[in-house]
Amino acid sequence: MAILLISIGTAFAQESLISVQTDDNNYDEGDTIVISGKVSTIVGSTPVTLQLFSEGNLIDIAQITVAQDGSYSHTIIAEGPLWKKEGNYTVRVSYGEGNIAESEFAYSPKTTSMATTTNFEVDAGSYGTFDVKYTIKGGTIKNMVVDSDIFALIVQIDAADDGTITLELPREFIGAEKQDGKDDTFIILIDGIEVAYQESVVQSESRIITINFEQNDSDIEIIGTYVVPEFSSIVMMILIIGITITILTTRNRFQITKF
């Protein structure tokens, strides 16, 4: 008898009284998600408890009234500060004690589904400014700054997800060259860690590179052999002439003193 009761109890616990589904399997940021289901046995005024998870993190929670025919539904707008991660989201509903059902859907925020292409005006100090054309997917550009001490252009990003950034670097202001004047490779650091990059197009006026980044990355350092040269050719010529005049003057003064 005891064995029979245990077997009946186990079978009953495994049979859930509730079902759940969504009106689609894939959603983008801003979409309306309709979650619905049915309760096979209504228990008084007990509500359905709904929880929405992304990688174990709770995104939304609600209690839903069950209709007289046992059906229920709930609507969620896929937007807000918690809707930043791309991937599979889990809908979990429970009704009473031990009655649980789950369903999944895929979600993509706009930052991962859309790419932004525009120009960024970089402050070059006494040289004014120069434009860097870029395309970014998976985040946004916060700033671009020049670090002349390490011959680098530092791109500061807000990476909402894994993504890519393509930069068109004007040779006039930043480059990586060998002693013979031919192109050399850049050193790319993301938050201090060296990473690889791809260079698909080489132009006479610029070099175009693509860098992959991960969610929450912030600083991308593009290090070459020069960046916004401290002395332009004209300034360098004036400097050389000034040094030459100084040397000649010094020699003449020494000669006059000698005689």
Side-chain angles (χ1 to χ4, degrees), residues 21-58:
Q21 65 273 330
T22 55
D23 63 330
D24 199 353
N25 294 323
N26 297 276
Y27 297 96
D28 294 325
E29 186 174 353
D31 286 350
T32 298
I33 303 170
V34 179
I35 302 169
S36 61
K38 196 162 188 178
V39 173
S40 59
T41 302
I42 300 175
V43 181
S45 59
T46 303
V48 171
T49 300
L50 181 147
Q51 295 173 297
L52 180 61
F53 296 94
S54 170
E55 296 185 349
N57 299 315
L58 183 64

Side-chain angles (χ1 to χ4, degrees), residues 230-245:
E230 184 178 357
F231 300 107
S232 65
S233 57
I234 296 176
V235 174
M236 182 63 74
M237 187 178 299
I238 295 173
L239 179 63
I240 293 173
I241 293 173
I243 293 173
T244 303
I245 293 173

Side-chain angles (χ1 to χ4, degrees), residues 128-144:
T129 61
F130 65 93
D131 288 338
V132 174
K133 185 177 181 180
Y134 71 89
T135 298
I136 188 169
K137 183 178 181 181
T140 56
I141 296 289
K142 295 170 62 178
N143 198 10
M144 292 190 194

